[in-house]
């Protein structure tokens, strides 16, 4: 049998290091409860606005309704699937809360726009 060399983890790129530093910096910044609440509220309101915009644009161009629905369902499904690894990972749950707020805001924005059409 041929002995294989031990597998080494790949070297991180500069971009990956910057993303990790930015995430750690955001978690340090949001350690203050008021900052965390304000950040979560901003994400909720921005995603709520995006949901309203997507509903309005696809309503104006009636041919884009299936495409807009597909994009929104895929975005919400990806957010749900991203929760699993984040729940299993212990530590600060800021990213999990941000994903949840974005998902809730997008869904509420779409629902409100749908109720406007009734």
């Amino acid at each position: 049998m041929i002995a294989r060399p031990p597998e080494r983890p790949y070297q991180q790129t500069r971009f990956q290091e910057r993303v990790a530093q930015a995430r750690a910096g955001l978690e340090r910044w949001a350690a203050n409860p008021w900052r965390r609440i304000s950040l979560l509220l901003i994400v909720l309101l921005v995603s709520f606005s995006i949901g309203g915009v997507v509903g309005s644009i696809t309503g104006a161009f009636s041919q884009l309704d299936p495409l807009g629905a597909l994009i929104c369902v895929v975005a919400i499904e990806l957010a749900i699937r991203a929760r699993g690894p984040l729940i299993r990972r212990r530590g600060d749950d800021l990213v999990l809360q941000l994903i949840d707020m974005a998902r809730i805001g997008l869904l509420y924005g779409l629902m409100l726009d749908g109720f406007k059409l009734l």
Side-chain angles (χ1 to χ4, degrees):
M1 294 205 152
I2 298 174
R4 291 174 38 184
E7 293 186 23
R8 297 181 191 143
Y10 291 109
Q11 182 178 358
Q12 284 193 345
T13 63
R14 201 176 301 163
F15 176 72
Q16 290 173 328
E17 291 174 359
R18 299 283 174 148
V19 169
Q21 290 172 356
R23 182 176 174 180
L26 182 65
E27 288 177 356
R28 277 193 312 271
W29 180 83
N32 183 339
W34 286 105
R35 288 181 181 170
R36 180 180 291 260
I37 291 171
S38 67
L39 182 63
L40 293 174
L41 188 62
I42 288 169
V43 169
L44 178 72
L45 293 175
V46 166
S47 62
F48 180 79
S49 299
I50 290 172
V53 165
V54 167
S56 297
I57 289 174
T58 58
F61 302 115
S62 61
Q63 296 174 348
L64 293 178
D65 285 340
L67 181 63
L70 177 68
I71 291 170
C72 292
V73 168
V74 167
I76 291 173
E77 186 65 29
L78 288 175
I80 291 170
R81 300 226 180 216
R83 294 187 83 235
L86 291 173
I87 289 174
R88 281 186 230 106
R89 182 183 60 103
R90 299 292 180 216
D92 195 14
D93 56 341
L94 177 66
V95 176
L96 179 65
Q97 290 175 348
L98 289 173
I99 289 174
D100 285 341
M101 286 294 129
R103 186 171 51 94
I104 291 168
L106 181 65
L107 183 64
Y108 281 176
L110 289 170
M111 293 295 288
L112 180 68
D113 209 58
F115 284 131
K116 285 183 207 174
L117 297 175
L118 290 179

